[in-house]
Amino acid sequence: MAAFLDMGGYAATVWPSYGVTAVILIGLLVFSLRQLAKRREQLDALEAERERSRNP
Amino acid sequence: MSAFTALVRRDVALATRRGGEAALTLGFFVITIALFPFGVGPDPELLGRIAAGIIWVTALLAAIVSLDRLFRQDLEDGSLDLLALSPMPLELVVLAKCLAHWLVTGLPVTLLAPVMGMMLQLDPEAYAPLIIGLALGTPALSLVGAIGASLVLGARRGGALIGLLVLPLYIPVLIFGISAVEAALAGLPVLPHILIEGAVLVVSLPLAAFAGAGALRLAMD
Amino acid sequence: MPSLLHSLASPARFQRISAHVFPWAAVLATGLIGCGLVWALVFVPPDYQQGDTVRVMYVHVPAAWMSMFCYAVMAVLSVSFLIWKHALADLAARASAPIGAAFTTVALITGSLWGKPTWGTYWEWDARLTSVLVLFFLYLGHMALSNAFDDRERGGRAAAILAVVGAINLPIIKFSVEWWNTLHQPASVLRMDGPTIHSSMLWPLLVMAAGFTAFYVVLLLIRIRSELMARRIEVLQRHRAAEGA
């Protein structure tokens, strides 16, 4: 396990590379999902408001 | 074709008469170049080594600073709508405005380049390729720049956006212009570099005409 | 391609098709990237020249491929939007740009990390890395332009023109950067492709690339859906403002 983590002496190259990749890609996924949720909420509110104004 | 020349004349007259854009752009060019010796030190050898690069990069920036007004003024005062209604195709309107822009920015910059070269201790071998390169490259800067200027019409912070859009597209013009100078300094044939710079100009002509006209139509919708 | 885009062009159809595709893409992305990670980190033997640093390749190279693939997708979508006026094409192009920018960032950072042991420095003005940097600038410009207008649709159209101009320019930029690079650098600099790729290295690389592509589809579907909602929100808000006035 220690040898695996050491990556033949290149731990400082290999692990940050995979880490950065994970952070950026998963970060964009999370950001996109949250944006979607927020917009859905906003849209639902707007639709509801329109319904109410149509049949008061 | 007379409408084309009339439009070019009008734009050149507007840029020069108000004592405005043309002089401002040239002032920007000269002052920015004069900053470099303060930045890197007055060592003639170092300055001579990077002189062509300084002049070229500053020429790129000088092209950018005057682009913001290329179409905006005409859009705001309605003359762009009149031009669109005229029988001249919008593509030609774009090319005429690019030519006018080059006449008041690119051409003076090209003519001033040898003076700037002298101040920066440019190698005597480098003058010819630098000036020929600028003569072919600066029209391409105006053309590609016009695409950016037309795309940002009506945008928030349009002026600041143009640089971001256009500077990456300027890289080939810069590279082939500089490589002509480098080739001359290394004693290699200069012609291939000049020819490619010319080819970049030829490609940017239709590109600017169609993309620029398309963007103008969008802006007038 | 046009007929495929046509069939996707209506938002309602898109929602239906996306509901079918989405779970598959999500499963594929998770599975392929999971397999690829284990394969690349555990089972691939270290390279005889580059040692374990070669493992960076399994994220760097697929990310670099995706950075170009995303731009190609954006360009095709933008052309089809400008020519055939597909309603969904500009939304998809807009949705694609941040994903491409993310992959480009990954390619740049991992390339720079890989450069440290390979070149002895984090940044070398190597032709490939420089081209990727320029591509990153193009993505930034596209994203900035598409968000610079109060009217989203107007931003989408302007960005579509920019994407096409960029796509025409990209080969010229790439050629010029290579030209510049050969002018300034001795050819002896170790390239990032490393040694010719052995099949034991190629397979995990392809698995990772397929996983990244599936992940791209997942992100794209989420983002298109989000763009559709944003457009609907804008329409409703405009209605409300009109009614209020």
Side-chain angles (χ1 to χ4, degrees), chain B residues 151 153 156 165 179 193 218, chain C residues 141 147-150 154 157 179:
Chain B
L151 281 174
L153 286 174
R156 299 184 297 258
L165 303 187
S179 69
H193 306 265
L218 264 185
Chain C
N147 290 319
F149 295 87
D150 294 321
R154 166 93 173 78
R157 285 180 192 180
W179 177 278

Side-chain angles (χ1 to χ4, degrees), chain B residues 149-219:
Chain B
S150 55
L151 281 174
V152 302
L153 286 174
R156 299 184 297 258
R157 305 175 303 275
L161 246 181
I162 294 180
L164 183 61
L165 303 187
V166 163
L167 282 173
L169 302 178
Y170 277 178
I171 291 171
V173 180
L174 174 63
I175 286 178
F176 296 122
I178 284 293
S179 69
V181 174
E182 300 268 318
L185 292 179
L188 296 168
V190 173
L191 193 62
H193 306 265
I194 295 292
L195 286 179
I196 300 181
E197 186 80 321
V200 172
L201 171 58
V202 171
V203 171
S204 48
L205 268 170
L207 195 63
F210 291 114
L216 288 186
R217 285 193 191 100
L218 264 185

Side-chain angles (χ1 to χ4, degrees), chain B residues 83-155:
Chain B
L83 284 169
L85 289 173
S86 78
M88 184 162 58
L90 209 50
E91 283 77 9
L92 271 183
V93 171
V94 173
L95 291 183
K97 303 215 53 121
C98 290
L99 179 58
H101 180 260
W102 179 73
L103 286 173
V104 295
T105 59
L107 182 63
V109 159
T110 308
L111 296 177
L112 257 179
V115 182
M116 296 295 108
M118 237 150 54
M119 290 172 73
L120 294 172
Q121 326 290 336
L122 183 69
D123 191 293
E125 291 286 309
Y127 280 92
L130 175 71
I131 294 162
I132 299 171
L134 280 169
L136 287 171
T138 47
L141 299 182
S142 296
L143 287 163
V144 175
I147 302 175
S150 55
L151 281 174
V152 302
L153 286 174

Side-chain angles (χ1 to χ4, degrees), chain C:
Chain C
M1 200 71 200
S3 62
L4 173 70
L5 286 167
H6 251 303
S7 68
L8 283 168
S10 96
R13 272 189 99 156
F14 164 78
Q15 301 279 26
R16 251 192 332 243
I17 295 172
S18 119
H20 282 292
V21 175
F22 186 81
W24 286 102
V27 168
L28 266 178
T30 327
L32 286 169
I33 293 177
C35 284
L37 277 179
V38 175
W39 202 340
L41 284 170
V42 181
F43 294 110
V44 172
D47 183 67
Y48 74 101
Q49 242 184 343
Q50 301 195 38
D52 279 299
T53 59
V54 80
R55 295 189 205 281
V56 178
M57 180 176 76
Y58 299 101
V59 283
H60 172 74
V61 172
W65 282 345
M66 292 308 296
S67 70
M68 286 179 274
F69 175 72
C70 289
Y71 205 91
V73 171
M74 247 168 61
V76 170
L77 287 167
S78 300
V79 167
S80 72
F81 172 67
L82 291 173
I83 298 178
W84 296 292
K85 308 271 178 237
H86 286 304
L88 210 67
D90 71 321
L91 289 188
R94 279 176 83 118
S96 201
I99 313 175
F103 280 122
T104 314
T105 315
V106 169
L108 280 174
I109 297 179
T110 54
S112 148
L113 284 166
W114 197 2
K116 185 65 181 164
T118 314
W119 295 319
T121 154
Y122 282 114
W123 187 267
E124 180 85 35
W125 289 94
D126 153 87
R128 281 158 181 256
L129 217 46
T130 311
S131 304
V132 177
L133 183 66
V134 178
L135 187 61
F136 181 65
F137 295 151
L138 292 181
Y139 275 119
L140 285 188
H142 187 275
M143 282 157 62
L145 185 64
S146 66
N147 290 319
F149 295 87
D150 294 321
D151 176 8
R152 293 176 72 82
E153 222 166 312
R154 166 93 173 78
R157 285 180 192 180
I161 295 179
L162 182 71
V164 175
V165 170
I168 295 170
N169 262 285
L170 259 179
I172 306 175
I173 294 174
K174 219 166 151 43
F175 170 67
S176 71
V177 168
E178 261 151 37
W179 177 278
W180 159 81
N181 197 248
T182 49
L183 205 73
H184 289 276
Q185 256 178 1
S188 61
V189 175
L190 186 54
R191 300 273 157 192
M192 264 204 185
D193 358 337
T196 44
I197 288 184
H198 190 262
S199 64
S200 70
M201 294 159 82
L202 183 64
W203 277 109
L205 187 63
L206 292 178
V207 168
M208 272 304 235
F212 273 33
T213 313
F215 184 69
Y216 166 73
V217 173
V218 169
L219 273 174
L220 187 66
L221 292 178
I222 293 173
R223 296 193 65 90
I224 292 178
R225 195 171 277 216
S226 174
E227 288 289 337
L228 278 169
M229 281 184 188
R231 199 168 66 170
R232 179 98 183 111
I233 288 171
E234 208 178 65
V235 170
L236 287 179
Q237 277 172 340
R238 223 176 280 157
H239 273 290
R240 191 170 63 171
E243 277 163 18

